[in-house]
Amino acid sequence: MHQGISGVILASGRGMRMGGEDKGLMPIGGITLYQYVLARLRPQVSSIAIRANRNQACYQATGLPVIGDLTPDFSGPLAGMLAGLEQATSEWVAFVARDVPDFPTTLIEQFWLQKSTSLATYASDGERDHPTLALLHTSLAPKLADYLAQGKCKLMLFLKSIGAQQVIFKGQQSPFHNLNTPEDFQHWQMK
């Protein structure tokens, strides 16, 4: 566990591929999806908050802080990251998506070890980038706020613009698979 790193589960979004359902609250084997993510993140960080724009009472049942976006327009993961940075209890904030339940158990450790002098890192499986799994320093909040104020919302473009360090988890495509459809949920439950 890294004492100087807070964690934020990105649990907003409209769930369009799930018929409008909140993916984080979808049960798999009697446990909601975000709880799998929470269990995986908890040993890696010193504190956790959940970023959610809807169903906040359901997420608050965990006793964890629930952070809403600064705007109610579901403006993507960057808006949630900004809210997380602005309400952080530490200098560093690790972000994970609610729909990636198998992310590596060493994710935050590898981000920390490989960040060098960068103020941000993000995950890659060697073939594809996974920018919603990231570590950002809170000093990036003003740059991110400016970026969003310009109407920009592309997460990878923002990470590249700030010189974020890519952290590659070679040969680990499976841990980064996200659950987007009912079929994804069924397949993951059967594993």
Side-chain angles (χ1 to χ4, degrees), residues 32-108:
T32 56
L33 179 58
Y34 87 92
Q35 290 174 320
Y36 287 101
V37 173
L38 175 60
R40 186 147 297 219
L41 182 61
R42 190 167 294 210
Q44 299 187 54
V45 295
S46 60
S47 64
I48 298 176
I50 300 170
R51 177 269 185 137
N53 273 355
R54 58 184 182 144
N55 301 311
Q56 290 183 334
C58 295
Y59 289 109
Q60 287 169 338
T62 62
L64 296 172
V66 176
I67 303 166
D69 284 352
L70 304 177
T71 59
D73 60 356
F74 293 93
S75 51
L78 279 175
M81 288 176 162
L82 177 59
L85 290 174
E86 291 188 344
Q87 297 186 30
T89 59
S90 64
E91 286 186 55
W92 291 92
V93 182
F95 295 93
V96 296
R98 67 170 172 208
D99 59 0
V100 185
D102 290 327
F103 65 87
T105 58
T106 61
L107 182 74
I108 310 309

Side-chain angles (χ1 to χ4, degrees), residues 13 43 66 81 139 143 147-148 159 189:
V66 176
M81 288 176 162
S139 65
K143 287 183 181 179
Y147 184 81
L148 289 169
L159 291 173
Q189 185 173 6

Side-chain angles (χ1 to χ4, degrees), residues 7 65 111:
F111 282 165

Side-chain angles (χ1 to χ4, degrees), residues 168-184:
I168 299 174
F169 294 80
K170 290 187 180 184
Q172 296 189 46
Q173 287 81 18
S174 180
F176 293 102
H177 181 73
N178 58 343
L179 308 183
N180 284 321
T181 65
E183 294 76 24
D184 291 339

